Amino acid sequence: MALVKLNDLEIEVEDGTNIVEAARQHGIEVPHYCYHPGLSRPANCRMCLVETFTSPAGSEMPDRQLATGCTTTVRTAPPDRKLDGKYDFIVRTDSPRVKKAREDVLEFLLVHHPLDCPVCDQAGECDLQDYSYRHGHDKSRYLEVKNVPPKKDLGPDVLLYSTRCVVCTRCIRFAQEVSGTGELGLINRGSHDEIDIPRSHEGTPLQLLDNKLAGNVVDICPVGALISKDFLFKSRPWFLEKANSVCTGCSVGCNITVEYKADGVYRIKPRFHEDINQHWICDDGRLGYHYVNSDDRLQLPLKRVENELAPTHWADALSVITEQLSETEADDIVVIGSAQATNEDNYVLQQFAHDVLQTTQLGLFGHPLGEEHKFPQFTIEADKNPNTAGARTILGSANGNVVLEGDALWEKVSGAKIVYLVSGGPERPLEDAEKAALENVDFLIVQDVLQSEATQLADVVLPGTTFVEKDGTITNSTGWVQRIRKTIDPPGEARVDWEITQQLAKQLGGEMNYRFAGEIAIAIAENVSGYADATHQNIGDAGIKLAE
Amino acid sequence: MVEEKRILYEHLDVPDINTFDVFRQYDGYKRFEKAIAEYQPDDIAKMVMDSGLKGRGGAGFSTGLKWSFVPRDIKPCYLCCNADESEPGTFSNRYVLEKNPHLLIEGILICCYAMGIETTYVYIRGEFTLGKRMLDAAIKEAYEKGYLGKDVRGTGLNIDIYTHPGAGAYICGEETGLIESLEGKRGQPRNKPPFPAVEGVFMKPTVVQNVETLCNLPFIVGNGVEWYTKMGPTYADTRNDPPTPDPNTGTKLYCISGDVNEPGVYELELGLTCSELIEVAGGLRGEEVKAVIPGGSSAPILTHYELDTRLDFTSLTLAKSMLGSGGIIVMNETRNIVDCLLNIMKFYAHESCGQCTPCRWGTPWVRDIVQRIADGGGRPDTITRPKFGVTESGRWGDTGETEEIYEDLDLLESVANNIANVDTMTWNTICVFGIAVSWPAVSYMRKFRPEFEAAIREGKLVTLPVAEATVPPEENYAYQQRFIPKEFADL
Ligand SMILES: Cc1cc2nc3c(=O)[nH]c(=O)nc-3n(C[C@H](O)[C@H](O)[C@H](O)COP(=O)(O)O)c2cc1C
Ligand code: SF4
Ligand code: SF4
Ligand code: SF4
Ligand code: FES
C-alpha cells in the first residue's frame, strides 16, 4: 500500500494501480480514451494527463511532470524518497497545467469531428461529448477543411462511422488480445488513419468483423464510431431503463445490464464481473434477446379442443389439469424441470412433485449441447442452458428424488400418462426420440414461452416467462449463483413459472404460499445443501460462489 | 581558411574501397583486430565513454552513457544500426553505405565485441537501394573472410548482421518506431520508458546507433581516446559544482545544402561557426544569408544575427536550437520563410505516424494554417495578448505588457505549442516528433514574424529584405524559447 496525495485527498493505494483507477476509486474522473482496464495500454490518446510529483535522487525540489495517468502506476517509495516526509506519490488531476493540457487534447480530438451528435447513436453515453462538456473549450478555433473518411460496414452487426473515430485503437486491441481474431487494423497514416478490415485493392472485404465477440468493440468504442446495427436509431440511451441481470445464453452466466422500455428489451450490455466475464459478453448473449419481444410469444393458456389448440383462460386451463392430475396415480406422472428456468421455478416445481403429487420421478429438460467457442480471453460454453447446475441440484434436493436426464428420461416419459414439462428460453426443436416419447403421453402439459414443437404436442399449454420478466437466481457452470431481475411485464396473460406451479399445487390442496421469488430463495437456502448463503440479499449484484 | 578534417570520409573516394581487399589496405578491420587483441570488452566501452562520443543520429546522447544503461546479464542483446537517414537536409550516411560499407561493418564489430552482442540489424532507408546493395555485398565478403559469422577470426565471437529495408516512413528513423517496424509492425514509436537499452528489439536490450556514430568507433579504438578528444571543443558545464566536462569531441559529417556554391557533405571538427561552414561549402550563393537551419528540418532556425554560433551540440543547445543530424540548409535573401515553413510542415504533416492525438491532428492543422497564410487567406484580425520577455526579476516570463498579434499567428503558435511546447520544453506526445514539428513552426514564426505579418496583410507571400524580415535579438522573445509561464511557476 502506498500513501498517495491525490489533489487534496490523502489516500491509500495498492502498489501497481494506475492513476486513472486510483482516482476512480475515490470518485475523481481522469478522462481517458485509449485506456481500457481489460486491454493493453498504448497511451496514445494523451487525454489522461495528470501532474505527478516525484522526488529525484539527490534533489530537494520535487520533479513536476505531466504524465499519462493510464500508464503511471503508484509504487511505494523507499523511506528516504518520501515526498513531504510521508507520501509515496503526489499527483494532481486539477492543476492549471492539467486542465490546459486536457483542453488542448480535446480541441485536437474535435478538429475533424463532424459534430453530428444529433444523429449519433452514442449521444448521451459518449466520452467525447461528456469530456468536452466537462473539460473542453466552448468553441473551436479550427477553420480548415475537415477530413471526411467513409462510413464502413465492418461485419454482420458493426458499422463504422469513421468521421467520429478518435483512433484510440481499443477496437484493434480487443480483436488482437481478447478475441484473438485480429480482423481490425489501421490503414493510412497520420491524420488519415482509419480503422478498417482487410480489403483487396478494389476495396472488397477479405475478412469481416464476424466473430462471436465482435459486439464488444461497440461497447468499448468511447465515441460513436462503432455502432451496433441491432440498436441503430432504435432509441436514445437516456430513455432506456436499466437492470442488472445475467445472460441466460449459456452456462457461463455473463453479467449483463438489460436496457429496456415498457414495450420491450432494447439491448443487452456487458457488466463487469472479475471471475466470470470480465468486461465482455458474446454476441449470442448480446443479440439473443429477440425471442423475448417475438410475435410468437405465448400470451394465453391453450387447451386442445377437437385436436386443435385453442386459447382459454387460466381458471379453465388449470382446472383441466388438476382434474387430470387428481385422477392419475403418482407413478404415472412425470414432472420435468428446466435448465432454462430459475432455481426458484425449479424449487417450487420439485416441491409440487414431491409434496403434492408425491412422485419422486423428476426430469431435467434443457437445450441440447451446442458448440464451445474458445478465445484467448473468453470462452462460450457448449451447454446452452444457463442453469443446468442449479436445476439439477434443486430438482434432486428433496428426499428420494431421482432426476432423470437424456435417454432415461425419454424412456420414462413414453410410459407415462401425464407429463408436466417446463421448458422456457429461446426456441428448442425436438429430436425424434423426444418427439416420439412425448407423442406417447396421454396428457401433456407444456409450460413454455414460445410456440414450439413441444407445445404443438401438448394438451394444455401454459404461457411462462423469460429471464427479463421475472426475478430469480441461476447457477452457472463454475458454481456462481447470480440474480436475474424482472424488467418488463410478460406479454398478454403469461405468468411467472413458479407462480403457475404454485397455483396448481394450491388447487390440489398443497400448502404453498410464496409471495415473491426471494421467499423461495430463503426456502432453498434452508433446504438445499450448498445454498445456505444464497439468499437474494446476499447474492446482490456480485453473485456468490457455492462452496466447492 | 578552415580545412576539412576527413576521418570517416578519408578514404571515401579511393577506388574500390567498397571491396574487402582495398579496405584492408587502408587499415581495414585492423582496428577491430586491435580491439580484440589488446582490450577487454569493458575497456572498449570505457574508451567510448571517455572519448565523449555523442550520437550523430539526432539526439546527441552520449554513446558511452547509453551503453552503460544496457543490462549485461540479459541475453540476447541486439545492436540496431539506424541507417534510415530521412531527416530533410541530411545525406551523410548514404555515402558511407554506398562507398565505404566495410567501415560500418568494422564499427558494428567493435560495438558487438564491447557489448557482447551477436546479432545486428541494419535498418536502411528503403530508398537507399544502392546503399543496401553495397552493404549487402560487403557483408557477404566479410562473412567469406571470416569477419562475420560463427567464431569470427578464431576469437570465439559469433556475430551476424542482417540488413532490413524501410518502407519509406520518416518516423521509422525514431529508434522505437524503427524497432517496431523491424519487428514487422506498423512503424509507431513506443512509449518510453522502457528505453531500447532495456527493452528494445523483441523486448530485449538493444543498442540503437546511427551509422556515423558506429563509424567513429574504429578510429577511437585505432588512434586512442587522447587523439580523439583533441578534436572538437570540450566545454565546462558550470551548472555543476565543480564544473563537469561537456565534450563535443570528434568530427561531424555536416551536410550542407541550400544557397551555397558547393553543397555537399563536409567532414569537419565540431565547433566551427556557421559562417565558417558556409565558407567551407564554397560560400554563399546570393547576396546575404537570411536564415540557416542548423540540424535538419526539425531544428529551430538561425537568423543572420546568429551566424557566429558554433555548430556543435552544446552551443546549438544554448542557442535554443540543435545540431540534430547535422543537416545544414542555408537560405539567402530570395527565400520566403513562410514558404519554407510551409514546405517543412507539409513534410511533417505527411510523416506523423498518427499514433497520438496532438501530433496526428495538430501537425496537419499547423500545415493548413501556414498554407492558408501563404495562399493569402490569413485573417486580418488581431488580438491583444500578454507579452513574454525578460521580466523585472531578470528571469524569463510574462512581462506584464501586452502585444498586438494577428489572430492567425497566435493560433499557429498556440497549436504548435499544444503539440509540444517549445517554451516549457514539455510535450504531450509519445515521441519527440512533436517537438520536431513545433520547433520549426514557432521559431520561424517568431524570428521572421514580419514576413508572416506581411503575408497576412498583403494577402500573398511577400519576401522582405533580410533586415526587415528578421526580428532582432533584442526582441528576445523570438530567440529565447524556454521559460515557465506564470501560471505554472508556483507549486
Ligand atoms: C522523428 C525522428 C526521426 C529520426 N530519424 C533518424 C534517422 O533518420 N536516422 C538516425 O540515425 N536517427 C534518427 N533519429 C534519432 C533516433 O531516434 C536515435 O536517437 C538515434 O538513432 C540514436 O543513435 P545515435 O545515438 O547514434 O545518434 C530520429 C529521431 C526522431 C525523433
Ligand atoms: S473505432 Fe472507436 S474504438 Fe476503434 S479506434 Fe476509433 S474510436 Fe477507438
Ligand atoms: S458466453 Fe454465454 S453467458 Fe456469456 S454472453 Fe455469451 S451466451 Fe451469454
Ligand atoms: S508524436 Fe507523432 S510521430 Fe510521434 S508517436 Fe505521436 S503521432 Fe507518432
Ligand atoms: S488513456 Fe492515457 S493516454 Fe489514452
Side-chain angles (χ1 to χ4, degrees), chain A residues 16 22 41 303 449 518 538:
Chain A
R41 303 172 192 182
K303 177 172 83 168
V449 296
N538 285 346

Side-chain angles (χ1 to χ4, degrees), chain A residues 41-47 49 53 61-62 64 66 68 71 96-97 100-101 104-105 107-112 137 140-145 147 165-168 186-193, chain B residues 168-171 186 188 191 349-365 367-369 372 379 408 410-411 414-415 418-419 421 426-430 487-491:
Chain A
R41 303 172 192 182
N44 61 30
C45 74
R46 318 311 281 181
M47 188 68 247
L49 295 165
F53 300 73
M61 279 282 285
R64 312 165 67 211
L66 278 187
T68 45
T71 49
R97 220 172 137 187
K100 174 158 187 325
D104 298 342
V105 172
E107 182 180 36
F108 286 132
L109 283 167
L110 287 176
V111 156
H112 290 287
H137 283 303
S140 172
R141 300 187 293 170
Y142 190 73
L143 300 174
E144 326 304 331
V145 178
N147 289 347
C165 172
V166 296
V167 203
C168 69
L186 276 174
I187 58 163
N188 303 340
R189 190 174 59 190
S191 63
H192 297 287
D193 268 358
Chain B
Y170 167 65
I171 197 60
R186 248 174 106 86
Q188 291 184 329
N191 278 286
H350 185 260
E351 294 298 337
S352 161
C353 87
Q355 197 180 185
C356 42
T357 306
C359 171
R360 175 185 344 114
W361 283 328
T363 313
W365 188 3
R367 173 203 60 199
D368 290 349
I369 295 169
R372 190 157 49 77
R379 289 170 293 170
D408 274 332
D410 179 67
L411 181 67
S414 152
V415 173
N418 287 350
I419 303 171
N421 193 311
T426 53
W427 44 89
N428 302 339
T429 50
I430 291 176
E487 76 243 45
F488 303 149
D490 60 312
L491 255 187

Side-chain angles (χ1 to χ4, degrees), chain B residues 55-57 66 82 84-86 173-175 208-210 213 432:
Chain B
R56 305 298 199 231
K66 190 191 283 186
N82 190 341
D84 191 55
E85 190 166 63
S86 4
E174 199 277 348
E175 51 190 3
V208 184
Q209 223 72 70
N210 174 259
T213 315
V432 293

